[in-house]
Amino acid sequence: MNENNTKTLTVITFYERKDTLPLLLSYYEGVDSSIDIIIVDQSKETWESPSHEKIKAWHHLPAEKYNFYQMWKEILKLYPEYEFIYWNNDDDIAVPSAITMAEKFLTENQEYTLAQGQMVQIRDNFTGYTDYGLAEWLKDDCNSSDILDRTGEVFTNSYVNPHSTIKSSVFLEAVNFVLDTSNSDVSYAPIKYWDKILTFFAAAHGNRKTNLPCVTAIRTHRETSGSVLEESMDYPEVLERDTSYDTILQRLEKNNPFVDVLISQGAQGSREELHEHVLQLLDPDNFANKYSDHTLSENPPPSYTS
């Protein structure tokens, strides 16, 4: 049951890393918020579930029993009453007021499937930041009624960010899409691909807003919090940690199920034309992976001063 009359479930996930979560819980202790938060631990052994006034529930779904996508399917099955999902990592701070703002926008604008404000990434032991995602925040809404134009807008100079407020139905469809391919030789389960898949599904199903007048999350750079993807020696095999992006793109030539998604949402064109469209969307040159560093004291992020 929704405890705060919210339509959004904020899901904090982590795997084996237990040094960052206490900091995040301390933040929520000191914030006046009315969002529903659950914690999902995929570690082999969990902590004893702590009592915390801001945490609705603590779930232990170990990766050896539930891979990343099975975990998400289980969570979405357990919480069908929520219209939206916000996925947060244990080393990032999702701002409750921003989640509430995104929920309000999506509720009032049903043709949209995803909403967020600016993402700020902290580095250098919290004394600096990058302009990670700034271009996304400065983008106009991607709201063309033509699905090919809209997906093209989304994947142009894109920071694909899965940590947004997203319709739960879209999130679940993306999860099922991956699970349907995960036991084949053209699996789309590699974790490096998940942000692109979720971005694609949100764009295929509706409009995208990444310019809400707020900071949605404070993200920590890998140099500060480390990377589970790189550090964990027993990372779940199905997530294919070492599979290159080029290898994943090659799988599209064997089987491109993204075409069927476009067709189901009314895309016009032959399968060959839609296949080429998908290849263009997922071209690595579309993704803005480089960004500059700044010092907080000398040059605060734009949204702080706008």
Side-chain angles (χ1 to χ4, degrees):
M1 181 178 181
N2 305 38
E3 295 180 357
N4 294 301
N5 294 318
T6 178
K7 298 178 180 180
T8 305
L9 182 66
T10 300
V11 182
I12 300 171
T13 61
F14 71 97
Y15 174 73
E16 298 299 350
R17 182 169 56 187
K18 294 183 171 67
D19 55 343
T20 53
L21 186 61
L23 298 176
L24 185 58
L25 294 179
S26 295
Y27 165 76
Y28 286 118
E29 278 182 358
V31 174
D32 182 17
S33 68
S34 58
I35 62 173
D36 284 359
I37 304 172
I38 66 169
I39 292 176
V40 182
D41 180 5
Q42 288 222 275
S43 307
K44 288 183 178 180
E45 295 183 9
T46 191
W47 301 330
E48 181 180 352
S49 302
S51 175
H52 192 288
E53 63 176 345
K54 298 294 179 67
I55 303 301
K56 177 184 177 72
W58 184 296
H59 298 277
H60 181 216
L61 301 176
E64 58 190 4
K65 295 182 179 179
Y66 299 84
N67 69 45
F68 176 81
Y69 305 103
Q70 291 169 332
M71 173 271 290
W72 272 114
K73 186 161 186 174
E74 181 69 13
I75 290 300
L76 290 163
K77 182 175 70 174
L78 287 172
Y79 296 96
E81 67 271 28
Y82 290 91
E83 189 174 345
F84 310 109
I85 288 287
Y86 185 96
W87 170 33
N88 194 47
N89 287 331
D90 58 298
D91 61 340
D92 300 329
I93 296 174
V95 181
S97 59
I99 295 173
T100 300
M101 182 184 293
E103 177 186 303
K104 183 175 186 296
F105 176 84
L106 291 172
T107 300
E108 295 175 351
N109 298 273
Q110 288 290 316
E111 68 275 18
Y112 281 73
T113 57
L114 179 152
Q116 68 177 64
Q118 188 185 358
M119 313 299 288
V120 176
Q121 186 180 61
I122 300 298
R123 64 176 304 158
D124 300 328
N125 292 321
F126 302 98
T127 63
Y129 75 98
T130 74
D131 55 11
Y132 162 86
L134 180 60
E136 199 73 23
W137 185 57
L138 297 175
K139 266 188 177 182
D140 292 334
D141 291 9
C142 298
N143 56 9
S144 173
S145 59
D146 184 287
I147 186 174
L148 300 185
D149 289 344
R150 185 173 66 248
T151 52
E153 292 170 355
V154 168
F155 280 92
T156 298
N157 191 31
S158 177
Y159 280 88
V160 286
N161 171 40
H163 306 290
S164 305
T165 303
I166 301 175
K167 282 189 174 181
S168 299
S169 58
V170 171
F171 206 106
L172 178 59
E173 187 170 332
V175 167
N176 285 333
F177 172 89
V178 174
L179 287 173
D180 287 344
T181 70
S182 60
N183 292 320
S184 71
D185 60 351
V186 287
S187 170
Y188 291 102
I191 195 64
K192 295 175 184 176
Y193 214 52
W194 171 238
D195 54 354
K196 285 81 174 172
I197 291 174
L198 192 55
T199 297
F200 172 84
F201 269 83
H205 281 271
N207 300 338
R208 174 183 178 90
K209 187 177 190 67
T210 57
N211 53 32
L212 288 173
C214 62
V215 172
T216 289
I218 308 296
R219 306 204 66 193
T220 54
H221 195 277
R222 289 181 179 180
E223 70 172 19
T224 300
S225 59
S227 171
V228 174
L229 186 64
E230 296 171 358
E231 294 175 358
S232 177
M233 298 302 293
D234 55 352
Y235 206 74
E237 184 177 350
V238 69
L239 302 185
E240 297 187 45
R241 171 173 54 184
D242 299 320
T243 298
S244 70
Y245 192 79
D246 285 343
T247 299
I248 300 171
L249 289 177
Q250 290 169 14
R251 294 177 185 178
L252 287 173
E253 298 294 350
K254 293 183 179 180
N255 179 28
N256 188 345
F258 294 92
V259 169
D260 296 312
V261 178
L262 291 174
I263 292 173
S264 72
Q265 296 303 308
Q268 300 296 308
S270 67
R271 292 193 68 90
E272 291 76 16
E273 290 169 333
L274 297 179
H275 171 73
E276 289 302 319
H277 179 74
V278 171
L279 292 181
Q280 291 173 12
L281 295 181
L282 300 176
D283 186 326
D285 289 340
N286 285 337
F287 306 123
N289 294 319
K290 296 182 179 179
Y291 38 82
S292 303
D293 296 336
H294 306 278
T295 302
L296 275 171
S297 58
E298 297 176 358
N299 186 22
S303 61
Y304 288 6
T305 56
S306 60

